């Protein structure tokens, strides 16, 4: 069902049930707001709550203090764009061919973008009467039918591509900042601007249930911080780390302002808050650490896909608790729908689950027995505490027991051949149900001129291992 048809259908269904209208019923103030804060390239070890020692993040940590922290929170992909497609739809993005980053906007393949037939969390919540807003980075399509306002967002302040300059004076590579479709000249440091606009959105819709997706491009490259924020970290000798610390400080401050606004407007008990990163930290590029995990952004090791993952809903969910079973960004969609007191229908074919019963202790099982990742020929599968993964240029998959070996140091593939085969079979079965990639990452016109002879849905042998080629930290780039 196309987006517009779905919305129409919901209206008819509501009428058929004798409801006044879904919108009106859902607009009652009893429904909670959903605030989804998504950081960019923030590594597993980069919050104080996650063990970071040199950059304090008291505001973000307060979400863990007032809510719950997940030690095994996963994303569906180790780079930005596909990870966001899984988050928005609650489905493995491979189901609709969204397997790779697009590369810079100028070279992105025409097909790139979220499939119009896929229903985003914003579209669903909008149907249920929510005011919906995106502040920040989109990275899910440049075509009009793939832009935020065609994907369920009433309001959009931010940019469409994968990265951006933070300072207005570095105009050279600044991607356009859009305010509901109109390009504006934003002068404030971008992270502060996004915090400001998020506060504005909450104030504007305080009397009505809202869904706000606050999608920082912090702490993605380019490394740019304000002098003031960097000055707080004089004791950090490495300049790169000092800039990165300033960027994190700005994101923590902006998050604090948003959380303060909820408090001031007495919306804390009426707001379900998520704070998650879109993929692991690219350590060599930005210094972002994934400790104690192995690997980094782009990789199938835990450092690529296990991220800071926090949730808060005062009065509804426990405070100060740590949850240890694996959860996924796939679960955000279903959890938000359940929080909005709506039924999750089986024909939506969500891969994520409603986490609320698990977090309230009503369901003591694992939310997921098995999770999957695929990036071209690379893959990973987690089944229970076992993980099988194939990294780039490796001939054979590696097997780890994450319960005993969180840092993936001891490859047990040879020793546990049966387990290796079981996980390989499970992965193969899942993978066979997915669509082929609809595009690969393009970085130049030569790649895009059809010389590969590739047609839609086919990836040539040489293109199978697509990895993000991380740019030096000083360049803007709109890549990942
Ligand atoms: Ca990212």
């Amino acid at each position: 069902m196309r987006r517009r048809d779905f919305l129409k259908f919901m209206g008819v269904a509501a009428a058929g049930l004798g409801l006044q209208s879904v919108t009106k019923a859902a607009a009652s103030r009893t429904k909670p707001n959903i605030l989804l804060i998504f950081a960019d390239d923030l590594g597993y070890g980069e919050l104080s709550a996650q063990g970071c020692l040199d950059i304090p993040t008291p505001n973000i940590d307060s979400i863990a203090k007032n809510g719950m922290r997940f030690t095994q929170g996963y994303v569906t992909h180790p780079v930005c764009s596909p990870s966001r497609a899984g988050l928005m739809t609650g489905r493995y993005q491979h189901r609709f061919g969204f397997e790779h980053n697009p590369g810079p906007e100028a070279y992105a393949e025409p097909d790139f973008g979220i499939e119009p037939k896929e229903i985003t969390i914003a579209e669903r919540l909008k149907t249920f009467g929510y005011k919906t807003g995106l502040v920040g980075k989109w990275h899910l399509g440049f075509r009009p039918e793939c832009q935020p306002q065609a994907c369920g967002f009433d309001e959009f302040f931010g940019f469409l591509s994968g990265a951006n300059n933070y300072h207005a004076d570095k105009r050279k590579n600044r991607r356009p900042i859009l305010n509901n479709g109109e390009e504006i000249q934003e002068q404030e440091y971008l992270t502060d601007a996004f915090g400001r606009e998020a506060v504005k959105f909450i104030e504007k819709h305080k009397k009505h249930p809202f869904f706000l997706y606050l999608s920082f491009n912090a702490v993605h490259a380019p490394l740019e911080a304000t002098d003031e924020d960097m000055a707080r970290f004089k004791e950090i000798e490495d300049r790169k780390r000092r800039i990165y610390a300033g960027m994190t400080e700005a994101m923590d401050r902006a998050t604090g302002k948003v959380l303060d606004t909820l408090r001031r407007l007495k919306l804390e008990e009426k707001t379900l808050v998520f704070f998650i990163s879109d993929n692991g930290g690219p350590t060599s590029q930005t210094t972002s650490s994934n400790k104690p995990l192995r690997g980094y952004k782009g990789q199938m090791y835990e450092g690529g896909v296990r991220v800071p993952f926090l949730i808060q809903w005062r009065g509804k969910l426990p405070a100060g608790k740590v949850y240890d079973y694996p959860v996924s960004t796939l679960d955000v969609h279903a959890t938000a729908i359940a929080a909005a007191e709506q039924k999750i229908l089986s024909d939506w074919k969500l891969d994520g689950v409603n986490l609320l019963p698990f977090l309230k202790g009503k369901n003591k099982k694992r939310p997921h027995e098995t999770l999957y990742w695929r990036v071209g020929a690379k893959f990973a599968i987690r089944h229970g505490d076992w993980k099988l993964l194939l990294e780039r240029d490796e001939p054979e998959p590696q097997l780890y027991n994450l319960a005993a070996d969180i840092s993936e140091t001891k490859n047990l593939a040879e020793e546990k051949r049966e387990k290796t085969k079981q996980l390989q079979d499970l992965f193969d079965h899942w993978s066979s149900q997915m669509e082929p990639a609809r595009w690969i990452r393009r970085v130049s016109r030569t790649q895009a001129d059809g010389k590969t002879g590739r047609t839609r849905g086919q990836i040539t042998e040489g293109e199978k291992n697509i990895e993000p080629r991380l740019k030096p930290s000083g360049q803007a780039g709109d890549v990942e």
Side-chain angles (χ1 to χ4, degrees):
M1 199 180 286
R2 309 274 307 178
R3 284 199 178 107
R4 243 171 288 155
D5 296 338
F6 170 77
L7 300 177
K8 212 162 132 193
F9 166 76
M10 289 310 295
V12 171
L17 292 170
L19 302 172
Q20 287 177 325
S21 78
V22 171
T23 305
K24 208 167 175 187
S28 80
R29 190 55 277 189
T30 56
K31 290 185 185 304
N33 309 303
I34 312 291
L35 170 59
L36 170 57
I37 307 175
F38 214 42
D40 198 348
D41 287 11
L42 180 75
Y44 187 79
E46 290 291 23
L47 297 175
S48 309
Q50 297 281 109
C52 178
L53 296 176
D54 59 347
I55 311 172
T57 50
N59 292 301
I60 299 170
D61 293 344
S62 78
I63 301 171
K65 197 173 140 205
N66 298 323
M68 304 177 78
R69 184 171 74 83
F70 297 81
T71 55
Q72 307 201 65
Y74 288 99
V75 289
T76 57
H77 199 288
V79 298
C80 307
S81 180
S83 168
R84 285 152 201 267
L87 172 78
M88 284 291 110
T89 58
R91 286 155 51 77
Y92 282 109
Q93 61 279 0
H94 310 78
R95 293 194 186 280
F96 41 95
F98 205 126
E99 189 159 339
H100 301 290
N101 261 335
E105 181 174 354
Y107 312 123
E109 290 189 42
D111 239 11
F112 165 68
I114 195 159
E115 280 276 275
K117 72 175 187 333
E118 293 296 322
I119 308 294
T120 69
I121 180 175
E123 279 169 295
R124 288 228 158 83
L125 289 169
K126 188 177 158 85
T127 308
F128 301 137
Y130 278 66
K131 301 290 182 191
T132 55
L134 162 61
V135 174
K137 162 172 160 175
W138 178 235
H139 210 194
L140 287 174
F142 303 111
R143 288 177 284 144
E145 65 269 32
C146 299
Q147 291 189 14
Q149 279 152 309
C151 293
F153 289 98
D154 298 320
E155 300 175 30
F156 167 44
F157 181 98
F159 63 93
L160 296 173
S161 51
N164 215 335
N165 285 93
Y166 295 84
H167 289 305
D169 55 348
K170 293 195 175 167
R171 297 289 308 156
K172 202 178 158 200
N173 291 312
R174 189 76 180 259
R175 312 304 305 168
I177 304 295
L178 304 170
N179 186 9
N180 294 322
E182 197 176 313
E183 184 173 354
I184 56 149
Q185 301 304 316
E186 177 59 56
Q187 295 304 313
E188 210 174 347
Y189 180 77
L190 206 50
T191 305
D192 289 321
F194 289 158
R196 180 196 75 213
E197 292 299 319
V199 167
K200 221 194 262 181
F201 180 90
I202 294 171
E203 285 174 340
K204 183 177 166 189
H205 299 296
K206 64 184 176 192
K207 293 192 172 157
H208 198 284
F210 63 77
F211 167 56
L212 173 59
Y213 174 32
L214 171 54
S215 174
F216 290 115
N217 57 315
V219 287
H220 193 295
L223 286 174
E224 288 178 15
T226 64
D227 293 340
E228 205 182 358
D229 283 336
M230 279 176 70
R232 295 169 203 269
F233 298 96
K234 281 182 186 138
E235 72 285 0
I236 297 180
E237 284 181 15
D238 174 22
R239 182 177 153 76
K240 208 164 158 182
R241 181 71 179 168
R242 205 156 64 241
I243 303 171
Y244 177 86
M247 293 165 75
T248 306
E249 168 81 14
M251 180 166 66
D252 188 65
R253 177 174 60 240
T255 301
K257 284 187 179 168
V258 170
L259 297 174
D260 284 348
T261 305
L262 293 181
R263 208 165 298 133
R264 176 165 53 81
L265 299 176
K266 301 196 178 0
L267 293 176
E268 274 190 312
E269 294 190 355
K270 294 170 182 167
T271 307
L272 170 62
V273 182
F274 295 89
F275 181 95
I276 312 171
S277 176
D278 73 335
N279 50 252
T283 308
S284 64
Q285 187 188 37
T286 65
T287 78
S288 184
S289 161
N290 304 304
K291 280 180 187 164
L293 309 177
R294 177 176 179 181
Y296 41 83
K297 175 178 177 177
Q299 292 196 314
M300 296 285 110
Y301 294 112
E302 292 289 282
V305 293
R306 197 196 290 202
V307 293
F309 201 124
L310 315 173
I311 194 169
Q312 170 192 312
W313 191 0
R314 295 195 85 153
K316 292 287 198 310
L317 290 176
K321 273 207 165 180
V322 173
Y323 189 84
D324 286 319
Y325 280 146
V327 297
S328 166
T329 39
L330 292 169
D331 303 329
V332 170
H333 189 122
T335 304
I337 297 295
E341 299 161 19
Q342 299 296 329
K343 265 197 162 173
I344 296 161
L345 304 182
S346 58
D347 65 3
W348 295 354
K349 296 189 168 59
L350 298 184
D351 289 307
V353 300
N354 167 21
L355 291 176
L356 298 176
F358 298 94
L359 307 185
K360 290 176 180 174
K362 289 178 187 162
N363 189 334
K364 302 208 182 296
K365 293 181 186 161
R366 287 172 180 253
H368 298 274
E369 196 58 40
T370 315
L371 290 167
Y372 309 88
W373 296 266
R374 191 181 80 184
V375 187
K378 306 197 305 189
F379 74 87
I381 170 173
R382 176 168 178 162
H383 184 62
D385 285 327
W386 291 96
K387 183 176 167 194
L388 187 74
L389 71 97
L390 183 68
E391 248 310 317
R392 194 180 194 185
D393 300 328
E394 297 284 339
E396 297 293 333
Q398 307 163 36
L399 180 74
Y400 297 101
N401 184 331
L402 293 173
D405 181 18
I406 189 176
S407 305
E408 296 169 292
T409 58
K410 196 175 179 211
N411 178 8
L412 300 170
E414 281 297 311
E415 198 179 308
K416 306 268 183 194
R417 279 170 184 262
E418 261 180 45
K419 187 55 78 180
T420 299
K421 185 174 182 318
Q422 183 199 2
L423 267 66
Q424 181 74 59
D425 289 348
L426 281 170
F427 174 79
D428 290 345
H429 177 68
W430 172 84
S431 187
S432 71
Q433 297 174 321
M434 300 299 118
E435 276 193 18
R438 285 172 43 228
W439 59 83
I440 60 160
R441 183 175 175 277
R442 298 288 187 190
V443 291
S444 71
R445 293 217 185 278
T446 0
Q447 266 186 302
D449 69 1
K451 278 182 184 169
T452 57
R454 194 174 72 86
T455 56
R456 182 189 154 107
Q458 293 178 330
I459 301 292
T460 61
E461 200 58 33
E463 292 170 334
K464 278 186 177 172
N465 274 316
I466 308 299
E467 285 244 333
R469 290 168 193 79
L470 301 178
K471 288 194 149 198
S473 58
Q475 296 177 26
D478 58 348
V479 181
E480 259 60 62

PDB file of all heavy atoms in Angstrom, residues 43-65:
ATOM      1  N   GLY A  43      30.321   6.488  19.389  1.00  0.00           N
ATOM      2  CA  GLY A  43      30.762   5.133  19.732  1.00  0.00           C
ATOM      3  C   GLY A  43      30.221   4.649  21.071  1.00  0.00           C
ATOM      4  O   GLY A  43      29.800   5.435  21.919  1.00  0.00           O
ATOM      5  N   TYR A  44      30.277   3.320  21.229  1.00  0.00           N
ATOM      6  CA  TYR A  44      29.723   2.659  22.421  1.00  0.00           C
ATOM      7  C   TYR A  44      30.318   3.197  23.717  1.00  0.00           C
ATOM      8  O   TYR A  44      29.635   3.292  24.724  1.00  0.00           O
ATOM      9  CB  TYR A  44      29.994   1.149  22.304  1.00  0.00           C
ATOM     10  CG  TYR A  44      29.348   0.312  23.381  1.00  0.00           C
ATOM     11  CD1 TYR A  44      28.004  -0.019  23.314  1.00  0.00           C
ATOM     12  CD2 TYR A  44      30.099  -0.174  24.460  1.00  0.00           C
ATOM     13  CE1 TYR A  44      27.400  -0.808  24.294  1.00  0.00           C
ATOM     14  CE2 TYR A  44      29.508  -0.964  25.441  1.00  0.00           C
ATOM     15  CZ  TYR A  44      28.158  -1.269  25.349  1.00  0.00           C
ATOM     16  OH  TYR A  44      27.578  -2.052  26.329  1.00  0.00           O
ATOM     17  N   GLY A  45      31.588   3.590  23.678  1.00  0.00           N
ATOM     18  CA  GLY A  45      32.253   3.998  24.921  1.00  0.00           C
ATOM     19  C   GLY A  45      32.276   5.496  25.158  1.00  0.00           C
ATOM     20  O   GLY A  45      33.064   5.990  25.953  1.00  0.00           O
ATOM     21  N   GLU A  46      31.401   6.258  24.458  1.00  0.00           N
ATOM     22  CA  GLU A  46      31.557   7.714  24.461  1.00  0.00           C
ATOM     23  C   GLU A  46      30.554   8.516  25.279  1.00  0.00           C
ATOM     24  O   GLU A  46      30.334   9.685  25.010  1.00  0.00           O
ATOM     25  CB  GLU A  46      31.570   8.228  23.016  1.00  0.00           C
ATOM     26  CG  GLU A  46      32.820   7.846  22.254  1.00  0.00           C
ATOM     27  CD  GLU A  46      34.095   8.556  22.733  1.00  0.00           C
ATOM     28  OE1 GLU A  46      34.140   9.012  23.891  1.00  0.00           O
ATOM     29  OE2 GLU A  46      35.036   8.647  21.934  1.00  0.00           O
ATOM     30  N   LEU A  47      29.921   7.899  26.260  1.00  0.00           N
ATOM     31  CA  LEU A  47      29.121   8.664  27.227  1.00  0.00           C
ATOM     32  C   LEU A  47      29.716   8.354  28.599  1.00  0.00           C
ATOM     33  O   LEU A  47      30.245   7.259  28.811  1.00  0.00           O
ATOM     34  CB  LEU A  47      27.661   8.208  27.220  1.00  0.00           C
ATOM     35  CG  LEU A  47      26.855   8.388  25.929  1.00  0.00           C
ATOM     36  CD1 LEU A  47      25.466   7.764  26.089  1.00  0.00           C
ATOM     37  CD2 LEU A  47      26.739   9.865  25.567  1.00  0.00           C
ATOM     38  N   SER A  48      29.577   9.291  29.539  1.00  0.00           N
ATOM     39  CA  SER A  48      30.029   8.977  30.900  1.00  0.00           C
ATOM     40  C   SER A  48      29.314   7.716  31.380  1.00  0.00           C
ATOM     41  O   SER A  48      29.916   6.837  31.999  1.00  0.00           O
ATOM     42  CB  SER A  48      29.720  10.120  31.861  1.00  0.00           C
ATOM     43  OG  SER A  48      30.193  11.333  31.347  1.00  0.00           O
ATOM     44  N   ALA A  49      28.018   7.620  31.048  1.00  0.00           N
ATOM     45  CA  ALA A  49      27.233   6.457  31.477  1.00  0.00           C
ATOM     46  C   ALA A  49      27.744   5.162  30.856  1.00  0.00           C
ATOM     47  O   ALA A  49      27.439   4.070  31.318  1.00  0.00           O
ATOM     48  CB  ALA A  49      25.764   6.654  31.102  1.00  0.00           C
ATOM     49  N   GLN A  50      28.544   5.281  29.811  1.00  0.00           N
ATOM     50  CA  GLN A  50      29.087   4.105  29.125  1.00  0.00           C
ATOM     51  C   GLN A  50      30.568   3.910  29.456  1.00  0.00           C
ATOM     52  O   GLN A  50      31.245   3.134  28.790  1.00  0.00           O
ATOM     53  CB  GLN A  50      28.936   4.267  27.608  1.00  0.00           C
ATOM     54  CG  GLN A  50      27.509   4.353  27.110  1.00  0.00           C
ATOM     55  CD  GLN A  50      26.834   3.002  27.014  1.00  0.00           C
ATOM     56  OE1 GLN A  50      25.953   2.679  27.800  1.00  0.00           O
ATOM     57  NE2 GLN A  50      27.271   2.187  26.076  1.00  0.00           N
ATOM     58  N   GLY A  51      31.056   4.691  30.399  1.00  0.00           N
ATOM     59  CA  GLY A  51      32.436   4.502  30.838  1.00  0.00           C
ATOM     60  C   GLY A  51      33.437   5.503  30.301  1.00  0.00           C
ATOM     61  O   GLY A  51      34.635   5.373  30.541  1.00  0.00           O
ATOM     62  N   CYS A  52      32.974   6.515  29.566  1.00  0.00           N
ATOM     63  CA  CYS A  52      33.913   7.518  29.040  1.00  0.00           C
ATOM     64  C   CYS A  52      34.439   8.378  30.184  1.00  0.00           C
ATOM     65  O   CYS A  52      33.666   8.863  31.012  1.00  0.00           O
ATOM     66  CB  CYS A  52      33.194   8.394  28.014  1.00  0.00           C
ATOM     67  SG  CYS A  52      34.242   9.707  27.340  1.00  0.00           S
ATOM     68  N   LEU A  53      35.743   8.585  30.227  1.00  0.00           N
ATOM     69  CA  LEU A  53      36.348   9.289  31.358  1.00  0.00           C
ATOM     70  C   LEU A  53      36.703  10.735  31.062  1.00  0.00           C
ATOM     71  O   LEU A  53      36.796  11.559  31.970  1.00  0.00           O
ATOM     72  CB  LEU A  53      37.617   8.538  31.806  1.00  0.00           C
ATOM     73  CG  LEU A  53      37.373   7.127  32.337  1.00  0.00           C
ATOM     74  CD1 LEU A  53      38.703   6.436  32.657  1.00  0.00           C
ATOM     75  CD2 LEU A  53      36.466   7.131  33.562  1.00  0.00           C
ATOM     76  N   ASP A  54      36.937  11.089  29.805  1.00  0.00           N
ATOM     77  CA  ASP A  54      37.435  12.447  29.542  1.00  0.00           C
ATOM     78  C   ASP A  54      36.390  13.439  29.037  1.00  0.00           C
ATOM     79  O   ASP A  54      36.666  14.629  28.959  1.00  0.00           O
ATOM     80  CB  ASP A  54      38.638  12.401  28.565  1.00  0.00           C
ATOM     81  CG  ASP A  54      38.286  11.753  27.226  1.00  0.00           C
ATOM     82  OD1 ASP A  54      37.213  11.118  27.142  1.00  0.00           O
ATOM     83  OD2 ASP A  54      39.074  11.877  26.281  1.00  0.00           O
ATOM     84  N   ILE A  55      35.194  12.977  28.690  1.00  0.00           N
ATOM     85  CA  ILE A  55      34.159  13.910  28.216  1.00  0.00           C
ATOM     86  C   ILE A  55      32.873  13.673  29.022  1.00  0.00           C
ATOM     87  O   ILE A  55      32.169  12.690  28.772  1.00  0.00           O
ATOM     88  CB  ILE A  55      33.862  13.722  26.709  1.00  0.00           C
ATOM     89  CG1 ILE A  55      35.154  13.690  25.890  1.00  0.00           C
ATOM     90  CG2 ILE A  55      32.926  14.812  26.211  1.00  0.00           C
ATOM     91  CD1 ILE A  55      34.957  13.314  24.430  1.00  0.00           C
ATOM     92  N   PRO A  56      32.551  14.548  29.976  1.00  0.00           N
ATOM     93  CA  PRO A  56      31.328  14.338  30.753  1.00  0.00           C
ATOM     94  C   PRO A  56      30.081  14.611  29.914  1.00  0.00           C
ATOM     95  O   PRO A  56      30.054  15.575  29.142  1.00  0.00           O
ATOM     96  CB  PRO A  56      31.427  15.371  31.893  1.00  0.00           C
ATOM     97  CG  PRO A  56      32.728  16.068  31.724  1.00  0.00           C
ATOM     98  CD  PRO A  56      33.262  15.773  30.355  1.00  0.00           C
ATOM     99  N   THR A  57      29.080  13.760  30.067  1.00  0.00           N
ATOM    100  CA  THR A  57      27.827  13.933  29.313  1.00  0.00           C
ATOM    101  C   THR A  57      26.638  13.854  30.287  1.00  0.00           C
ATOM    102  O   THR A  57      25.789  12.963  30.167  1.00  0.00           O
ATOM    103  CB  THR A  57      27.687  12.844  28.228  1.00  0.00           C
ATOM    104  OG1 THR A  57      27.930  11.545  28.840  1.00  0.00           O
ATOM    105  CG2 THR A  57      28.665  13.042  27.096  1.00  0.00           C
ATOM    106  N   PRO A  58      26.565  14.777  31.257  1.00  0.00           N
ATOM    107  CA  PRO A  58      25.554  14.656  32.325  1.00  0.00           C
ATOM    108  C   PRO A  58      24.115  14.692  31.828  1.00  0.00           C
ATOM    109  O   PRO A  58      23.254  14.015  32.387  1.00  0.00           O
ATOM    110  CB  PRO A  58      25.845  15.865  33.228  1.00  0.00           C
ATOM    111  CG  PRO A  58      26.610  16.827  32.369  1.00  0.00           C
ATOM    112  CD  PRO A  58      27.389  15.984  31.407  1.00  0.00           C
ATOM    113  N   ASN A  59      23.854  15.459  30.789  1.00  0.00           N
ATOM    114  CA  ASN A  59      22.470  15.566  30.327  1.00  0.00           C
ATOM    115  C   ASN A  59      21.995  14.290  29.637  1.00  0.00           C
ATOM    116  O   ASN A  59      20.896  13.801  29.895  1.00  0.00           O
ATOM    117  CB  ASN A  59      22.323  16.766  29.390  1.00  0.00           C
ATOM    118  CG  ASN A  59      22.501  18.069  30.136  1.00  0.00           C
ATOM    119  OD1 ASN A  59      21.780  18.357  31.078  1.00  0.00           O
ATOM    120  ND2 ASN A  59      23.516  18.844  29.761  1.00  0.00           N
ATOM    121  N   ILE A  60      22.843  13.775  28.764  1.00  0.00           N
ATOM    122  CA  ILE A  60      22.468  12.513  28.102  1.00  0.00           C
ATOM    123  C   ILE A  60      22.410  11.389  29.137  1.00  0.00           C
ATOM    124  O   ILE A  60      21.480  10.581  29.150  1.00  0.00           O
ATOM    125  CB  ILE A  60      23.458  12.180  26.955  1.00  0.00           C
ATOM    126  CG1 ILE A  60      23.432  13.289  25.897  1.00  0.00           C
ATOM    127  CG2 ILE A  60      23.117  10.841  26.328  1.00  0.00           C
ATOM    128  CD1 ILE A  60      24.534  13.198  24.854  1.00  0.00           C
ATOM    129  N   ASP A  61      23.370  11.393  30.062  1.00  0.00           N
ATOM    130  CA  ASP A  61      23.378  10.367  31.109  1.00  0.00           C
ATOM    131  C   ASP A  61      22.112  10.399  31.957  1.00  0.00           C
ATOM    132  O   ASP A  61      21.695   9.376  32.501  1.00  0.00           O
ATOM    133  CB  ASP A  61      24.573  10.574  32.054  1.00  0.00           C
ATOM    134  CG  ASP A  61      25.901  10.336  31.358  1.00  0.00           C
ATOM    135  OD1 ASP A  61      25.899   9.735  30.271  1.00  0.00           O
ATOM    136  OD2 ASP A  61      26.934  10.754  31.912  1.00  0.00           O
ATOM    137  N   SER A  62      21.500  11.599  32.072  1.00  0.00           N
ATOM    138  CA  SER A  62      20.301  11.701  32.915  1.00  0.00           C
ATOM    139  C   SER A  62      19.177  10.821  32.387  1.00  0.00           C
ATOM    140  O   SER A  62      18.295  10.400  33.137  1.00  0.00           O
ATOM    141  CB  SER A  62      19.843  13.163  33.023  1.00  0.00           C
ATOM    142  OG  SER A  62      19.151  13.559  31.854  1.00  0.00           O
ATOM    143  N   ILE A  63      19.213  10.524  31.082  1.00  0.00           N
ATOM    144  CA  ILE A  63      18.187   9.633  30.515  1.00  0.00           C
ATOM    145  C   ILE A  63      18.358   8.227  31.103  1.00  0.00           C
ATOM    146  O   ILE A  63      17.379   7.556  31.438  1.00  0.00           O
ATOM    147  CB  ILE A  63      18.277   9.608  28.970  1.00  0.00           C
ATOM    148  CG1 ILE A  63      18.091  11.030  28.405  1.00  0.00           C
ATOM    149  CG2 ILE A  63      17.252   8.657  28.370  1.00  0.00           C
ATOM    150  CD1 ILE A  63      18.374  11.154  26.916  1.00  0.00           C
ATOM    151  N   ALA A  64      19.612   7.816  31.263  1.00  0.00           N
ATOM    152  CA  ALA A  64      19.875   6.506  31.877  1.00  0.00           C
ATOM    153  C   ALA A  64      19.501   6.520  33.359  1.00  0.00           C
ATOM    154  O   ALA A  64      18.970   5.551  33.892  1.00  0.00           O
ATOM    155  CB  ALA A  64      21.341   6.144  31.711  1.00  0.00           C
ATOM    156  N   LYS A  65      19.771   7.655  33.999  1.00  0.00           N
ATOM    157  CA  LYS A  65      19.485   7.773  35.432  1.00  0.00           C
ATOM    158  C   LYS A  65      17.970   7.772  35.694  1.00  0.00           C
ATOM    159  O   LYS A  65      17.479   7.136  36.613  1.00  0.00           O
ATOM    160  CB  LYS A  65      20.097   9.093  35.931  1.00  0.00           C
ATOM    161  CG  LYS A  65      20.251   9.169  37.424  1.00  0.00           C
ATOM    162  CD  LYS A  65      21.029  10.433  37.799  1.00  0.00           C
ATOM    163  CE  LYS A  65      20.401  11.039  39.040  1.00  0.00           C
ATOM    164  NZ  LYS A  65      20.663  12.475  39.138  1.00  0.00           N
TER     165      LYS A  65
END
